Amino acid sequence: MTGPTYDVSRSPVPVDDCEACLELAARRDTARAVFDHSAVSDANVRMRAHLRQEHGG
């Protein structure tokens, strides 16, 4: 089994003109502001899945 093709130590970057990406990034930023590391991780996982499904990345 091979690992991911992206660096999981870095946060995924939202696509600028994508409403869903921007919403997920806003959730992540809010979670970071209150030191909710679990929610930050959840937002990153959701964004990676969204990026794969919707943006081919």
Side-chain angles (χ1 to χ4, degrees), residues 2-53:
T2 62
T5 58
Y6 47 83
D7 184 356
V8 296
S9 68
R10 302 182 78 176
S11 294
V13 178
V15 173
D16 287 331
D17 60 348
C18 176
E19 188 101 10
C21 281
L22 296 176
E23 172 63 27
L24 289 165
R27 287 185 194 180
R28 180 178 63 200
D29 291 344
T30 299
R32 278 190 182 134
V34 296
F35 305 100
D36 185 347
H37 304 293
S38 179
V40 170
S41 179
D42 289 347
N44 283 338
V45 168
R46 287 184 176 103
M47 188 178 297
R48 283 188 186 98
H50 168 76
L51 289 170
R52 268 193 317 274
Q53 293 169 357

